[in-house]
């Protein structure tokens, strides 16, 4: 089903924290567009959705495969007044939980889980990704751009061969073609609830919710953090959202940013 400005306005109308909807058939990146909006003083809750992207950005400088007509690509401007800089990683964890909650009812008997920090996996394959970009002045958080890609109706064969083994979509898992605006509504509903809970200071609840849907904890991991690689067992995620690893020598190590390698 085609996405359009009017369809999005209609279906997202009951979501009060979305203050503006900006739909584009094509963009380089919805997150870049939100950054432009942020610089012209757009309000928190401004949403940008694109049917397709030519320069979709992923974490760690990677690209995000963004063909038109099949998936969801959207970014939201957040201005989290009162949230300290050190707590911004919790927005990423919260968004991962919201995605799992929003997508789970559409996945039938398949389970959506989170690989630290926020890859949404189904059967070990990535169904959605989150890119959180922060603009700060000193320790003050000016704004956060939450960029989300959800693989909705993409058939597996549409991915380049190297991604076919790692990616999946709601359609590839269930055989069901979902209206993308409906999927967006589900995800935004959970995002709104999680975000307002975070702003009310419920950081422990956010981390606890993340742990409940995580597929990382208790497993052996190899983590790339900067130039360093660490192996061990993922033991915990701390109050700041950092991964705690037990090294083979029994020492515990905390990793704030990084990637779990396959
Ligand atoms: C990841 O690497 O897992 C994060 C992927 C985030 C992709 C989304 S698609 C919409 C938004 N616009 C972008 O350029 N990137 C994010």
């Amino acid at each position: 089903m085609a996405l359009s400005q009017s369809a999005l306005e209609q279906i997202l109308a009951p979501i009060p924290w979305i203050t503006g909807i900006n739909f584009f058939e094509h963009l380089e990146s919805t997150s870049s567009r939100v950054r432009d909006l942020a610089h012209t003083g757009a309000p928190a809750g401004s949403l940008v959705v694109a049917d397709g992207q030519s320069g979709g950005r992923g974490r760690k400088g990677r690209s995000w495969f963004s063909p038109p007509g099949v998936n969801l690509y959207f970014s939201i401007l957040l201005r989290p007044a009162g949230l300290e800089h050190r707590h911004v990683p919790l927005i990423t964890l919260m968004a991962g939980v919201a995605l799992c909650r929003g997508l789970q009812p559409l996945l039938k008997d398949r389970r959506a889980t989170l690989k630290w920090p926020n890859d949404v996996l189904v059967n070990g394959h990535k169904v959605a990704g989150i890119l959180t970009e922060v603009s700060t002045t000193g320790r003050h958080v000016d704004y956060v751009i939450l960029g989300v890609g959800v693989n909705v109706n993409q058939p597996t064969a549409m991915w380049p061969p190297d991604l076919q083994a790692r990616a999946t979509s709601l359609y590839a898992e269930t055989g069901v073609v979902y209206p993308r605006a409906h999927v967006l509504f589900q995800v935004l509903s959970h995002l709104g609830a999680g975000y307002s809970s975070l702003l009310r200071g419920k950081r422990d609840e956010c981390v606890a919710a993340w742990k409940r849907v995580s597929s990382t904890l208790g497993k052996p991991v190899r983590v790339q953090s900067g130039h360093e690689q660490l192996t061990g067992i993922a033991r915990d995620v701390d109050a700041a959202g950092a991964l705690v690893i037990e090294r083979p020598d029994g020492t515990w190590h905390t990793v704030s940013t990084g990637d779990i390698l396959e």
Side-chain angles (χ1 to χ4, degrees), residues 2 13 27 30 34 79 132-133 140 143 193 196 230 249:
L27 278 178
T30 55
V34 166
R79 297 188 186 273
T132 311
E133 295 167 298
H140 177 260
Y143 62 83
S196 88
L230 295 167
D249 64 3

Side-chain angles (χ1 to χ4, degrees), residues 29-31 53 56-59 64 73-75 119 126 129-131 147-149:
S29 157
T30 55
S31 290
Q53 302 181 119
R57 292 188 270 116
R59 294 178 62 241
W64 185 256
Y73 318 108
F74 66 92
S75 301
D119 285 350
K126 188 157 163 174
I130 301 162
L131 177 68
V148 179

Side-chain angles (χ1 to χ4, degrees), residues 34 40 55 64 106 114 135 137 143 157 163 212 217 247-248 256 258:
V34 166
T40 56
W64 185 256
L106 310 174
L114 288 173
S135 171
T137 307
Y143 62 83
L163 288 180
R212 284 196 294 274
L217 297 184
R247 309 288 308 277
S256 305

Side-chain angles (χ1 to χ4, degrees), residues 133-155:
E133 295 167 298
V134 194
S135 171
T136 53
T137 307
R139 299 175 73 82
H140 177 260
V141 179
D142 299 324
Y143 62 83
V144 174
I145 300 170
L146 190 64
V148 179
V150 184
N151 301 326
V152 181
N153 295 322
Q154 186 176 332

